[in-house]
mmCIF file of all heavy atoms in Angstrom:
data_model
loop_
_atom_site.group_PDB
_atom_site.id
_atom_site.type_symbol
_atom_site.label_atom_id
_atom_site.label_comp_id
_atom_site.label_asym_id
_atom_site.label_seq_id
_atom_site.Cartn_x
_atom_site.Cartn_y
_atom_site.Cartn_z
ATOM 1 N N ARG A 751 -44.530 -20.988 -124.154
ATOM 2 C CA ARG A 751 -45.757 -20.514 -123.484
ATOM 3 C C ARG A 751 -46.910 -20.255 -124.451
ATOM 4 O O ARG A 751 -47.632 -19.281 -124.331
ATOM 5 C CB ARG A 751 -45.457 -19.261 -122.676
ATOM 6 C CG ARG A 751 -44.451 -19.491 -121.552
ATOM 7 C CD ARG A 751 -44.277 -18.258 -120.696
ATOM 8 N NE ARG A 751 -45.572 -17.850 -120.176
ATOM 9 C CZ ARG A 751 -45.859 -16.597 -119.805
ATOM 10 N NH1 ARG A 751 -44.958 -15.666 -119.954
ATOM 11 N NH2 ARG A 751 -47.036 -16.299 -119.312
ATOM 12 N N GLY A 752 -47.050 -21.094 -125.448
ATOM 13 C CA GLY A 752 -48.138 -20.947 -126.404
ATOM 14 C C GLY A 752 -47.792 -20.093 -127.606
ATOM 15 O O GLY A 752 -48.555 -20.037 -128.570
ATOM 16 N N ILE A 753 -46.633 -19.410 -127.554
ATOM 17 C CA ILE A 753 -46.185 -18.641 -128.710
ATOM 18 C C ILE A 753 -45.429 -19.583 -129.645
ATOM 19 O O ILE A 753 -44.551 -20.325 -129.204
ATOM 20 C CB ILE A 753 -45.248 -17.484 -128.297
ATOM 21 C CG1 ILE A 753 -45.953 -16.540 -127.324
ATOM 22 C CG2 ILE A 753 -44.766 -16.707 -129.524
ATOM 23 C CD1 ILE A 753 -45.026 -15.483 -126.718
ATOM 24 N N GLU A 754 -45.774 -19.565 -130.916
ATOM 25 C CA GLU A 754 -45.074 -20.358 -131.921
ATOM 26 C C GLU A 754 -44.624 -19.426 -133.036
ATOM 27 O O GLU A 754 -45.445 -18.785 -133.676
ATOM 28 C CB GLU A 754 -45.997 -21.450 -132.474
ATOM 29 C CG GLU A 754 -46.491 -22.423 -131.400
ATOM 30 C CD GLU A 754 -47.449 -23.452 -131.961
ATOM 31 O OE1 GLU A 754 -47.494 -23.620 -133.198
ATOM 32 O OE2 GLU A 754 -48.163 -24.079 -131.163
ATOM 33 N N LEU A 755 -43.310 -19.370 -133.254
ATOM 34 C CA LEU A 755 -42.754 -18.470 -134.262
ATOM 35 C C LEU A 755 -41.864 -19.263 -135.197
ATOM 36 O O LEU A 755 -40.971 -19.981 -134.752
ATOM 37 C CB LEU A 755 -41.972 -17.343 -133.570
ATOM 38 C CG LEU A 755 -41.457 -16.216 -134.462
ATOM 39 C CD1 LEU A 755 -41.517 -14.870 -133.706
ATOM 40 C CD2 LEU A 755 -40.026 -16.485 -134.896
ATOM 41 N N ASP A 756 -42.141 -19.152 -136.476
ATOM 42 C CA ASP A 756 -41.380 -19.855 -137.508
ATOM 43 C C ASP A 756 -40.590 -18.831 -138.309
ATOM 44 O O ASP A 756 -41.149 -18.157 -139.188
ATOM 45 C CB ASP A 756 -42.325 -20.639 -138.416
ATOM 46 C CG ASP A 756 -41.571 -21.538 -139.403
ATOM 47 O OD1 ASP A 756 -40.367 -21.313 -139.615
ATOM 48 O OD2 ASP A 756 -42.200 -22.468 -139.935
ATOM 49 N N PRO A 757 -39.282 -18.686 -138.037
ATOM 50 C CA PRO A 757 -38.492 -17.676 -138.751
ATOM 51 C C PRO A 757 -38.435 -17.892 -140.254
ATOM 52 O O PRO A 757 -38.426 -16.930 -141.025
ATOM 53 C CB PRO A 757 -37.093 -17.828 -138.115
ATOM 54 C CG PRO A 757 -37.349 -18.441 -136.778
ATOM 55 C CD PRO A 757 -38.509 -19.372 -137.003
ATOM 56 N N SER A 758 -38.399 -19.155 -140.695
ATOM 57 C CA SER A 758 -38.274 -19.419 -142.127
ATOM 58 C C SER A 758 -39.542 -19.037 -142.879
ATOM 59 O O SER A 758 -39.506 -18.478 -143.981
ATOM 60 C CB SER A 758 -37.937 -20.887 -142.369
ATOM 61 O OG SER A 758 -38.948 -21.736 -141.863
ATOM 62 N N ALA A 759 -40.703 -19.305 -142.296
ATOM 63 C CA ALA A 759 -41.972 -18.964 -142.930
ATOM 64 C C ALA A 759 -42.437 -17.555 -142.550
ATOM 65 O O ALA A 759 -43.402 -17.048 -143.122
ATOM 66 C CB ALA A 759 -43.047 -19.969 -142.541
ATOM 67 N N HIS A 760 -41.757 -16.957 -141.601
ATOM 68 C CA HIS A 760 -42.093 -15.617 -141.090
ATOM 69 C C HIS A 760 -43.541 -15.577 -140.625
ATOM 70 O O HIS A 760 -44.317 -14.660 -140.960
ATOM 71 C CB HIS A 760 -41.836 -14.533 -142.151
ATOM 72 C CG HIS A 760 -41.436 -13.217 -141.539
ATOM 73 N ND1 HIS A 760 -42.362 -12.275 -141.159
ATOM 74 C CD2 HIS A 760 -40.226 -12.705 -141.213
ATOM 75 C CE1 HIS A 760 -41.738 -11.228 -140.642
ATOM 76 N NE2 HIS A 760 -40.430 -11.466 -140.662
ATOM 77 N N THR A 761 -43.925 -16.558 -139.787
ATOM 78 C CA THR A 761 -45.261 -16.607 -139.215
ATOM 79 C C THR A 761 -45.135 -16.719 -137.701
ATOM 80 O O THR A 761 -44.181 -17.289 -137.174
ATOM 81 C CB THR A 761 -46.065 -17.799 -139.742
ATOM 82 O OG1 THR A 761 -45.376 -19.026 -139.442
ATOM 83 C CG2 THR A 761 -46.280 -17.693 -141.239
ATOM 84 N N ALA A 762 -46.125 -16.185 -137.010
ATOM 85 C CA ALA A 762 -46.157 -16.256 -135.548
ATOM 86 C C ALA A 762 -47.602 -16.423 -135.098
ATOM 87 O O ALA A 762 -48.529 -15.889 -135.712
ATOM 88 C CB ALA A 762 -45.548 -15.007 -134.921
ATOM 89 N N SER A 763 -47.793 -17.176 -134.015
ATOM 90 C CA SER A 763 -49.141 -17.369 -133.487
ATOM 91 C C SER A 763 -49.077 -17.515 -131.981
ATOM 92 O O SER A 763 -48.019 -17.805 -131.399
ATOM 93 C CB SER A 763 -49.788 -18.627 -134.098
ATOM 94 O OG SER A 763 -49.057 -19.791 -133.740
#
Side-chain angles (χ1 to χ4, degrees):
R751 298 185 56 205
I753 301 172
E754 300 178 16
L755 187 145
D756 187 342
S758 60
H760 211 272
T761 59
S763 63

